[in-house]
Amino acid sequence: GAGVSQSPSNKVTEKGKDVELRCDPISGHTALYWYRQSLGQGLEFLIYFQGNSAPDKSGLPSDRFSAERTGGSVSTLTIQRTQQEDSAVYLCASSPAASREKLFFGSGTQLSVL
Amino acid sequence: DQQVKQNSPSLSVQEGRISILNCDYTNSMFDYFLWYKKYPAEGPTFLISISSIKDKNEDGRFTVFLNKSAKHLSLHIVPSQPGDSAVYFCAARLLELLRGSNYKLTFGKGTLLTVNP
């Protein structure tokens, strides 16, 4: 599998519960991004990882959101105490160092908070 | 405040005809523009891009035109095929003062293109 892999593909949770979304980027891609798409909206930047540099967390909407990237590869996005407005498709993307603007996206995780 | 706007939520064209998808932006510091294509239940895939130093970029059936003075770009698909039916996102990146310093893309809301056989 050469593409970006995300799991789970769908997640239904109750308001107030914590969720973890996983992303496995393309091997060799140094940059990893999380975006989300709420219904009827464009893709919204959440966080960016590049190698060993400190991540750019400027897009995270609240302190309930956090993300980590272990060993420069797999990333986990965690949402604590989920709210209904967190319902969205969460998309992970990776890109090679040479062309960071050309993102390779995973299929996303559809999160539904009831 | 939407900096990248795709004002047409949907577009329907006949197979073989030209599809024109439009995108407007407000930030004059955007210097690189991309189009992504998204099928249902899949992630967006990169389609074509253009630097602000150019006004046209062509790749097979796909051509992107950039009008900097109007802050407008468009994607032309000729001839349109049923397999082109998808959501098309316009995206923009801010001017990089240092290579690699800007990596965030600002996306529009997308336009659903339907190509009818």
Side-chain angles (χ1 to χ4, degrees):
Chain A
V4 176
S5 177
Q6 290 188 248
S7 61
S9 54
N10 279 284
K11 177 71 177 179
V12 180
T13 190
E14 293 179 351
K15 179 180 170 181
K17 296 282 181 72
D18 297 351
V19 295
E20 276 192 0
L21 312 180
R22 177 189 165 103
C23 172
D24 202 342
I26 293 173
S27 177
H29 281 190
T30 57
L32 186 147
Y33 312 74
W34 284 96
Y35 281 80
R36 76 174 175 181
Q37 185 182 18
S38 303
L39 193 63
Q41 302 298 314
L43 279 70
E44 173 192 6
F45 169 81
L46 297 178
I47 189 168
Y48 165 77
F49 295 91
Q50 171 57 39
N52 295 321
S53 303
D56 178 350
K57 304 179 182 180
S58 60
L60 295 179
S62 78
D63 58 8
R64 297 185 295 105
F65 288 71
S66 63
E68 62 177 22
R69 187 179 185 191
T70 54
S73 181
V74 172
S75 177
T76 302
L77 176 69
T78 301
I79 310 173
Q80 295 179 310
R81 305 180 302 282
T82 53
Q83 304 294 313
Q84 288 184 333
E85 62 262 27
D86 300 335
S87 297
V89 176
Y90 288 81
L91 290 158
C92 177
S94 66
S95 66
S99 57
R100 292 179 193 174
E101 63 280 353
K102 294 176 185 172
L103 307 183
F104 293 78
F105 283 90
S107 298
T109 294
Q110 173 72 64
L111 176 65
S112 301
V113 182
L114 305 179
Chain B
D1 177 31
Q2 272 238 297
Q3 296 189 63
V4 177
K5 300 177 185 177
Q6 294 178 257
N7 292 320
S8 297
S10 63
L11 174 68
S12 183
V13 299
Q14 208 62 31
E15 180 178 6
R17 298 288 183 99
I18 184 172
S19 295
I20 301 176
L21 297 105
N22 294 304
C23 178
D24 297 291
Y25 61 96
T26 57
N27 192 334
S28 58
M29 296 301 289
F30 286 140
D31 83 322
Y32 195 83
F33 303 90
L34 307 92
W35 286 92
Y36 281 81
K37 173 180 175 179
K38 185 182 183 303
Y39 292 119
E42 295 184 12
T45 56
F46 169 76
L47 187 59
I48 192 169
S49 62
I50 187 167
S51 166
S52 61
I53 62 173
K54 296 185 175 181
D55 55 18
K56 176 183 174 181
N57 188 27
E58 189 172 353
D59 183 3
R61 296 185 298 113
F62 302 90
T63 303
V64 56
F65 295 92
L66 176 63
N67 182 334
K68 284 184 65 178
S69 61
K71 295 192 179 68
H72 177 83
L73 64 156
S74 60
L75 174 67
H76 292 211
I77 307 174
V78 182
S80 302
Q81 299 174 354
D84 296 328
S85 298
V87 176
Y88 289 78
F89 290 99
C90 173
R93 188 196 70 189
L94 290 169
L95 173 69
E96 287 193 317
L97 297 177
L98 290 173
R99 178 170 166 73
S101 62
N102 275 324
Y103 39 78
K104 296 179 197 176
L105 296 180
T106 301
F107 285 83
K109 293 185 179 182
T111 296
L112 173 62
L113 173 66
T114 303
V115 180
N116 300 303

